[in-house]
Amino acid sequence: MNIADILIEALPYIRRFYGMTIVIKYGGHAMVDEQLKEDFARDITLMKFIGLNPVVVHGGGPQINLVLDRMGISSKFVRGMRLTDEPTMDVVEMVLGGKVNKGIVAQINQQGGKAVGLSGKDGGLILAKKLRIVFQEDNNKPPEIIDPGLVGEVTKINPDIINTLTEQGFIPIIAPVGAGDSGETYNINADLVASKVAMALSAGRLILLTDVDGVLDDSDNLISSIGADTIKKMIDEKSISGGMIPKIEYALEALQNGVGKAQIINGKKRHALLLELFTDKGIGTEITI
């Protein structure tokens, strides 16, 4: 396929997505590989220039781990969520809201975009409360109640600041940190925040970048589209497990609350966003209800 064919293939998708809000969760290997970071910044900038409204919610697990290790603070995870005490929360907020967020902003701006970094605490963007985790390893054991510390769940998204920035041509870059009723700071799963932001914006698309191709079958082949009934069956059979479960759950919740489509794609592929949005085949798994 030559360059002209590629552009012609992209044209109907550009027309379809013009003016659409697309919420992207940016995380995993794509955030630490220098080439992939540059590719992501270019993809987001291109999306804005051709008339889409990208909104980015980012993680930062590897970067947080690096700083915690240097400080001698150990980490523990349950269902993909970092158990967070006060010293850990200080590091999380510093790394996510500072180094990581501003690094993404700088890269997009370097590519000609107009990115603005936000913490969930800015403009009351993300209101949160303490998350309660009830964990049951299997049906033969009683459920365990786990105190995650300063890990939060979203109670409300106030999208006014996002809408204002988007209307003025800016690209919002959001760190998944929220504020409680008493001003306390909560660390929130970035996939969850992306889902809630997409719902609040009635986004046309929610795209979750991860480090695998998407949802895989028992032979490790990519499932291009999967519905809620099949998802439940695969979770029960443990074909879907670990950190993929909450990603899919958040995608399903978004679809059930007004988001047009949700996809899980491999952020380790160069220009993954463009390949998913602007080609006939796409590259990931579409979640359906």
Side-chain angles (χ1 to χ4, degrees):
M1 183 179 286
N2 62 36
I3 293 174
D5 289 334
I6 293 170
L7 293 173
I8 292 300
E9 181 180 328
L11 177 58
Y13 298 102
I14 294 172
R15 187 167 58 238
R16 181 187 306 169
F17 297 141
Y18 186 85
M20 180 182 290
T21 296
I22 298 180
V23 176
I24 301 117
K25 186 277 178 140
Y26 179 38
H29 192 72
M31 291 187 66
V32 294
D33 180 280
E34 290 302 323
Q35 182 63 64
L36 293 174
K37 286 162 65 175
E38 184 177 326
D39 290 344
F40 180 83
R42 286 179 173 173
D43 290 359
I44 294 294
T45 302
L46 175 63
M47 289 166 64
K48 188 66 176 181
F49 274 117
I50 61 176
L52 285 67
N53 292 316
V55 175
V56 177
V57 177
H58 66 82
Q63 296 89 335
I64 293 169
N65 289 339
L66 184 63
V67 175
L68 288 173
D69 288 344
R70 287 174 179 169
M71 298 178 68
I73 301 173
S74 60
S75 297
K76 183 179 178 182
F77 292 84
V78 174
R79 294 195 81 214
M81 296 184 182
R82 185 189 304 272
L83 305 188
T84 308
D85 57 13
E86 287 192 16
T88 301
M89 187 65 241
D90 288 342
V91 172
V92 168
E93 186 169 19
M94 174 183 69
V95 174
L96 287 182
K99 183 176 178 58
V100 173
N101 187 276
K102 302 313 174 189
I104 299 167
V105 167
Q107 285 210 291
I108 292 174
N109 290 346
Q110 190 174 12
Q111 297 300 327
K114 295 197 300 180
V116 174
L118 298 169
S119 161
K121 295 165 73 176
D122 292 325
L125 173 57
I126 304 173
L127 303 182
K129 66 179 181 180
K130 185 182 180 72
L131 177 68
R132 305 290 179 183
I133 301 177
V134 179
F135 182 69
Q136 188 167 13
E137 189 171 348
D138 59 57
N139 293 330
N140 297 321
K141 296 182 180 179
E144 179 184 1
I145 298 175
I146 299 169
D147 182 357
L150 293 170
V151 175
E153 60 179 320
V154 176
T155 57
K156 185 178 181 182
I157 299 289
N158 294 315
D160 292 351
I161 189 170
I162 299 176
N163 290 329
T164 299
L165 290 170
T166 298
E167 288 165 5
Q168 296 298 318
F170 292 99
I171 303 168
I173 312 297
I174 302 168
V177 173
D181 290 340
S182 301
E184 64 274 38
T185 303
Y186 288 110
N187 178 25
I188 310 174
N189 180 281
D191 294 308
L192 170 59
V193 171
S195 173
K196 296 290 188 181
V197 168
M199 289 157 52
L201 296 172
S202 297
R205 291 285 188 279
L206 169 64
I207 301 177
L208 305 177
L209 269 65
T210 184
D211 284 345
V212 296
D213 288 339
V215 181
L216 308 178
D217 63 19
D218 291 335
S219 301
D220 287 337
N221 296 313
L222 177 68
I223 301 172
S224 60
S225 181
I226 187 169
D229 291 342
T230 304
I231 288 168
K232 183 179 185 308
K233 182 172 181 288
M234 291 182 70
I235 291 175
D236 290 342
E237 294 173 350
K238 300 193 184 309
S239 298
I240 297 175
S241 60
M244 183 59 74
I245 294 176
K247 289 181 189 298
I248 292 175
E249 290 175 345
Y250 301 145
L252 285 172
E253 183 183 4
L255 293 171
Q256 291 161 354
N257 289 274
V259 175
K261 288 190 176 181
Q263 287 118 337
I264 297 175
I265 69 172
N266 190 346
K268 293 194 295 183
K269 294 186 176 181
R270 294 195 62 187
H271 300 294
L273 284 172
L274 301 187
L275 291 170
E276 177 61 32
L277 288 170
F278 301 125
T279 63
D280 292 337
K281 291 184 178 179
I283 62 169
T285 298
E286 180 179 338
I287 308 300
T288 63
I289 52 176

